[in-house]
């Protein structure tokens, strides 16, 4: 499977714009992003996002106990078939993941910072796990090395849980995530837009347009 490009945002306008390029395959949200986008009703927001893209849309549980997360997961799952339930990598999160997964509900196990947490997420039956690369970089740890390690372990162990490289902060993170075999890469819209930008593309396009204009003027003058 090729790497899915995902937006880490709850801003509808950003999702609509990225989706219009035809390359957006997923959206991840978290309580911080939903609050930043000012969504008073997360259900309305997630239903809207799920109608824009066919791929996985992650919505995070806010309970901290297993039963609460399980119940929230059932509710999120009822919003749209492509909603992934995000559970944190805690003992309660593992228990909720195990329960939800057994019922066929896809879980994105989040806040992964070590290979052992990723292994536990796979054992609990998570559909994907989210190592946070940027937050490790922030504390002078190599975030992409963790993503690479998890990809290797999952390959060797033949775990079917996917690796979602999260907390990506710049375009090189995205290239590296693809290189080490991440299944999904999620990034803010700012980074998504940077993927397409290149000064030589802008310069080349400017030159082509100017030359075309000269030709039109020269032809009109004849
Ligand atoms: O959504 C989870 C993750 O991508 C958060 O990223 O930049 O807040 O560390 P960040």
């Amino acid at each position: 499977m090729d790497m899915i490009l995902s937006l880490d945002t709850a801003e509808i306008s950003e999702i609509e714009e990225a989706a219009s390029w035809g390359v957006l395959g997923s959206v991840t949200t978290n309580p911080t992003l939903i609050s930043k986008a000012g969504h008073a009703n997360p259900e309305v927001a997630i239903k809207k996002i799920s109608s824009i893209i066919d791929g996985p849309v992650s919505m995070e549980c806010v309970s901290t106990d297993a039963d609460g997360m399980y119940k929230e997961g059932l509710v999120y799952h009822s919003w749209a078939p492509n909603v992934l339930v995000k559970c944190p990598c805690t003992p309660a999160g593992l228990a909720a993941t195990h329960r939800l997964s057994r019922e066929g509900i896809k879980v994105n196990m989040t806040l992964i910072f070590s290979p052992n947490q990723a292994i536990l997420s796979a054992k609990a039956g998570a559909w994907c796990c989210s190592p946070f690369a940027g937050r490790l970089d922030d504390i002078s740890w190599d975030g992409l090395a963790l993503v690479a390690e998890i990809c290797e372990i999952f390959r060797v162990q033949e775990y079917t849980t996917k690796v979602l490289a999260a907390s990506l902060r710049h375009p090189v993170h995205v290239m590296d995530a693809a290189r080490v075999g991440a299944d999904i890469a999620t990034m803010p819209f700012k980074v998504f837009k940077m993927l397409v930008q290149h000064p030589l593309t802008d310069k080349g396009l400017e030159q082509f347009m100017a030359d075309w204009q000269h030709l039109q003027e020269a032809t009109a003058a004849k």
Side-chain angles (χ1 to χ4, degrees), residues 34-213:
I34 299 227
S35 147
K36 224 161 116 185
H39 292 302
N41 187 336
E43 179 178 349
V44 173
I46 294 294
K47 281 183 173 168
K48 172 75 185 164
I49 296 169
S50 304
S51 73
I52 300 169
I53 63 152
D54 296 331
V57 173
S58 293
M59 171 70 192
E60 190 151 346
C61 292
V62 287
S63 292
T64 50
D65 64 297
D67 207 42
M69 281 187 228
Y70 169 74
K71 284 178 185 150
E72 279 175 13
L74 293 183
V75 173
Y76 298 165
H77 177 69
S78 74
W79 291 349
N82 55 334
V83 171
L84 294 190
V85 180
K86 247 175 149 180
C87 294
C89 191
T90 60
L94 287 168
T97 297
H98 181 57
R99 224 169 135 190
L100 289 164
S101 303
R102 262 193 324 197
E103 294 183 25
I105 296 174
K106 290 179 177 172
V107 173
N108 170 358
M109 178 143 275
T110 190
L111 290 165
I112 299 276
F113 293 97
S114 77
N116 280 331
Q117 289 181 316
I119 290 169
L120 289 171
S121 76
K123 287 287 186 190
W127 185 78
C128 71
C129 72
S130 295
F132 278 26
R135 291 193 193 182
L136 276 176
D137 288 357
D138 291 344
I139 57 158
S140 303
W141 214 264
D142 187 343
L144 253 301
L146 171 67
V147 175
E149 219 173 338
I150 296 171
C151 288
E152 188 188 348
I153 292 169
F154 281 17
R155 206 169 37 244
V156 170
Q157 295 294 326
E158 298 183 353
Y159 291 146
T160 54
T161 300
K162 298 180 193 315
V163 180
L164 189 160
S167 185
L168 302 181
R169 304 274 173 76
H170 50 74
V172 177
H173 266 160
V174 182
M175 284 157 48
D176 284 343
R179 189 171 48 80
V180 302
D183 299 292
I184 306 167
T186 196
M187 68 209 83
F189 190 47
K190 185 180 128 205
V191 176
F192 204 90
K193 283 191 291 188
M194 288 166 88
L195 302 184
V196 73
Q197 286 160 5
H198 199 289
L200 290 181
T201 303
D202 297 340
K203 197 177 162 205
L205 190 59
E206 209 175 290
Q207 185 69 55
F208 288 155
M209 292 302 104
D211 290 344
W212 190 255
Q213 186 60 29

